[in-house]
Amino acid sequence: MVTSYDLHALLTKFVKINTNVTDVQWDRRMRPQLLFNPYSKEYEEKKKTAHYFLLAASILDDQMVGFSENARNLLINLHKKFETQRLFEITKPHLFNEEIIKYSFYNYLGPRKETIAETLAAVNIFVKFKAERDLIRYSQKFAKPKDFVEELTKSIERMRGIHKDKAWTYMRWMVRPEPDLELFKQYKPEDLLVPLTKENASVAISLGLIKTTMPYLWKDENTALNAQQKITDYAKQIFPKDPAKIDYPLFLLGRWLKRKNLNRNTLKEALQFFEQIQKVTGQPQAHYQKLSRYKSGWEKETARILMQMHIPYGYETITFPLPGDQYTPDFILDKEINGRKIVLEPHYEMNLKQSSKYSLFKQTYGHKFMLILLLKNDLITFFNKRNILTNDVCDDVWPIEFVGLLIDKIKTGEYGQDKKIAN
């Protein structure tokens, strides 16, 4: 039985390990990089940072951009196109939209991507006419973060109502010290509320703090505020003076819990898994979703069949730290065999360095993941003869020409029935 005390201890440890992880929106390790330094001490640069990340926060919505990383990449592309002055001055949505539809990953944005241009223009109108181009000085008109949040929600449609958590995410960025940006120094972190994001709500329901993550949780403002306050009160048990410090670690954890059964056992298993990763590698497990760019024809074909058969998957969604290395699987399916998620890795070529990495992944994470390599049929024997495909490299090798048959077997539950799958 999972006790509240045990779960709280595990979660507290996870949060403290991950509190210094830099937000995906400006993490310098990621590509493409921002075109400016968000930690600059120059006031003009600080003004730019406050405006730029209000644009980012306003579109930070699964329905608009899909993954959070897409918001980062889309905005960097627009910044390159327009440069700073024009980016901040555009108030006509069609000017943004003309460029957004050229975005190479436009089709992988969210189902409401048509609202992105209008939202960016609304932010610029707010900053230009209400904040008089200086959000830092404008923020000083409000006594508390919640007062500024209310002003944002009045002025920017996609930051009000069910989207209000984006305003609180922005306030976390602006108020908290590094790794956040601390531009609104007059506010105290203790006055922040933890944003009611889907990721945070998933952790909260697993803890028993709230009862549902269904859409109606956000549609009623009082219900949403009550849930947000419960999460914030819980966060204050860990960080009494800085509850929003828990926000980004919960975001990382909530991603892992996506589409899982949300309960204490599932949460405990996830936290123990991350704890193991940290012990093995000495690194916290910050994983990022990547843009859905398929690097080869076989990857595109694998993705097409998975979508056609309605099998949920992530493409390059997690980078796993390994001792002295790291590995980003191509496809992680939301299907399991004997409690292990299925990883599909299409490959044209294989070498000893790659097989060593897969072997290390299997040793480290094999109890949670089943690695299936997809290779050209006529090369499988070739790689076997050269000892590149030894038994410790993966759980199975499948001819890539017949990936459709494999996926069909996985969907129907036939895969693994005709032979013993290694554990």
Side-chain angles (χ1 to χ4, degrees):
M1 179 179 177
V2 183
T3 68
S4 297
Y5 176 81
D6 290 340
L7 203 54
H8 179 73
L10 281 170
L11 183 59
T12 298
K13 185 174 183 179
F14 173 83
V15 167
K16 289 182 175 179
I17 287 172
N18 286 280
T19 51
N20 291 321
V21 176
T22 304
D23 197 286
V24 62
Q25 297 305 322
W26 62 87
D27 191 335
R28 294 177 181 176
R29 298 171 300 171
M30 294 186 66
R31 298 292 185 274
Q33 289 192 330
L34 296 182
L35 305 185
F36 63 97
N37 175 14
Y39 296 112
S40 174
K41 302 301 181 184
E42 298 294 326
Y43 189 75
E44 287 301 314
E45 289 297 299
K46 289 182 178 181
K47 284 168 53 179
K48 178 195 300 184
T49 298
H51 189 159
Y52 185 92
F53 287 109
L54 183 56
L55 289 169
S58 72
I59 61 173
L60 201 59
D61 181 333
D62 289 352
Q63 290 294 304
M64 295 174 76
V65 296
F67 299 146
S68 299
E69 289 77 354
N70 287 353
R72 171 194 171 117
N73 285 273
L74 177 58
L75 208 52
I76 290 173
N77 274 268
L78 291 173
H79 195 182
K80 288 178 180 176
K81 173 64 182 180
F82 293 119
E83 299 184 346
T84 301
Q85 187 171 358
R86 282 200 67 205
L87 177 69
F88 290 168
E89 290 296 320
I90 293 173
T91 57
K92 295 180 179 179
H94 74 89
L95 296 177
F96 277 126
N97 199 53
E98 287 170 3
E99 295 303 321
I100 292 170
I101 60 176
K102 298 176 186 176
Y103 183 40
S104 58
F105 307 112
Y106 179 76
N107 289 333
Y108 297 106
L109 297 174
R112 297 296 305 278
K113 52 183 170 280
E114 76 279 357
T115 63
I116 294 174
E118 183 179 346
T119 302
L120 294 175
V123 169
N124 282 347
I125 290 169
F126 172 77
V127 176
K128 182 175 182 178
F129 296 106
K130 280 207 169 183
E132 297 178 330
R133 297 186 171 88
D134 189 342
L135 284 163
I136 298 174
R137 185 177 61 193
Y138 185 70
S139 71
Q140 294 167 3
K141 295 183 177 183
F142 306 95
K144 300 277 187 179
K146 66 176 183 179
D147 301 321
F148 195 9
V149 164
E150 291 305 317
E151 187 64 23
L152 288 172
T153 61
K154 289 177 188 175
S155 303
I156 304 168
E157 181 180 357
R158 296 292 295 190
M159 296 185 86
R160 74 173 66 119
I162 62 175
H163 308 293
K164 197 172 185 178
D165 62 279
K166 293 191 286 188
W168 280 108
T169 296
Y170 178 69
M171 294 307 295
R172 190 256 290 174
W173 295 347
M174 295 296 106
V175 175
R176 290 202 64 258
E178 286 195 39
D180 292 310
L181 303 172
E182 198 180 14
L183 295 178
F184 299 166
K185 292 180 179 292
Q186 74 277 13
Y187 298 143
K188 296 179 181 179
E190 65 189 84
D191 291 327
L192 293 172
L193 294 182
V194 179
L196 185 64
T197 61
K198 291 180 180 178
E199 293 79 12
N200 291 352
S202 292
V203 178
I205 196 171
S206 300
L207 286 167
L209 300 177
I210 61 177
K211 295 181 179 180
T212 183
T213 57
M214 296 297 287
Y216 65 75
L217 173 64
W218 284 268
K219 289 184 178 179
D220 181 80
E221 191 165 344
N222 290 329
T223 303
L225 180 59
N226 183 53
Q228 187 177 20
Q229 191 62 58
K230 286 182 177 179
I231 297 172
T232 302
D233 290 343
Y234 182 86
K236 285 185 175 181
Q237 295 179 40
I238 305 173
F239 302 113
K241 297 293 185 181
D242 189 4
K245 194 171 186 176
I246 202 174
D247 179 38
Y248 204 60
L250 292 198
F251 167 76
L252 298 172
L253 181 57
R255 277 189 162 183
W256 186 259
L257 295 172
K258 190 174 183 181
R259 291 192 293 268
K260 293 180 181 288
N261 292 324
L262 300 176
N263 54 54
R264 290 183 175 186
N265 287 324
T266 305
L267 179 57
K268 182 182 179 181
E269 289 172 2
L271 290 168
Q272 289 175 330
F273 175 57
F274 288 129
E275 185 175 37
Q276 180 194 11
I277 294 175
Q278 203 276 332
K279 285 179 179 177
V280 170
T281 66
Q283 303 174 45
Q285 173 58 6
H287 60 272
Y288 293 137
Q289 310 256 19
K290 297 189 178 181
L291 289 170
S292 299
R293 54 182 185 273
Y294 305 112
K295 301 182 184 71
S296 70
W298 283 118
E299 290 181 5
K300 290 179 182 177
E301 178 65 7
T302 301
R304 184 190 69 78
I305 295 172
L306 287 169
M307 286 187 284
Q308 185 181 56
M309 295 191 179
H310 304 289
I311 297 178
Y313 70 91
Y315 176 77
E316 292 194 341
T317 52
I318 303 174
T319 295
F320 290 92
L322 299 170
D325 206 341
Q326 61 182 21
Y327 167 52
T328 306
D330 281 345
F331 297 92
I332 299 180
L333 310 191
D334 199 37
K335 281 272 189 181
E336 295 184 355
I337 295 179
N338 298 326
R340 302 162 71 204
K341 281 196 178 296
I342 299 171
V343 174
L344 300 182
E345 188 71 39
H347 254 292
Y348 279 108
E349 299 292 337
M350 278 281 290
N351 56 45
L352 287 172
K353 183 178 179 181
Q354 289 169 325
S355 66
S356 177
K357 179 182 290 190
Y358 297 143
S359 177
L360 192 56
F361 173 77
K362 186 181 174 186
Q363 292 173 40
T364 310
Y365 305 106
H367 65 296
K368 287 288 186 181
F369 295 90
M370 176 185 295
L371 176 59
I372 304 175
L373 294 181
L374 306 175
L375 300 171
K376 289 189 70 176
N377 195 31
D378 58 353
L379 290 178
I380 293 175
T381 303
F382 175 83
F383 292 137
N384 275 321
K385 286 181 178 179
R386 283 156 180 76
N387 290 322
I388 293 175
L389 287 177
T390 52
N391 289 335
D392 63 331
V393 170
C394 61
D395 294 282
D396 196 8
V397 179
W398 192 274
I400 200 166
E401 294 89 343
F402 304 107
V403 64
L405 177 60
L406 169 65
I407 294 172
D408 182 63
K409 283 179 172 290
I410 290 172
K411 181 175 181 178
T412 60
E414 293 180 39
Y415 180 78
Q417 298 300 311
D418 55 347
K419 64 178 178 176
K420 183 180 175 70
I421 299 296
N423 282 294

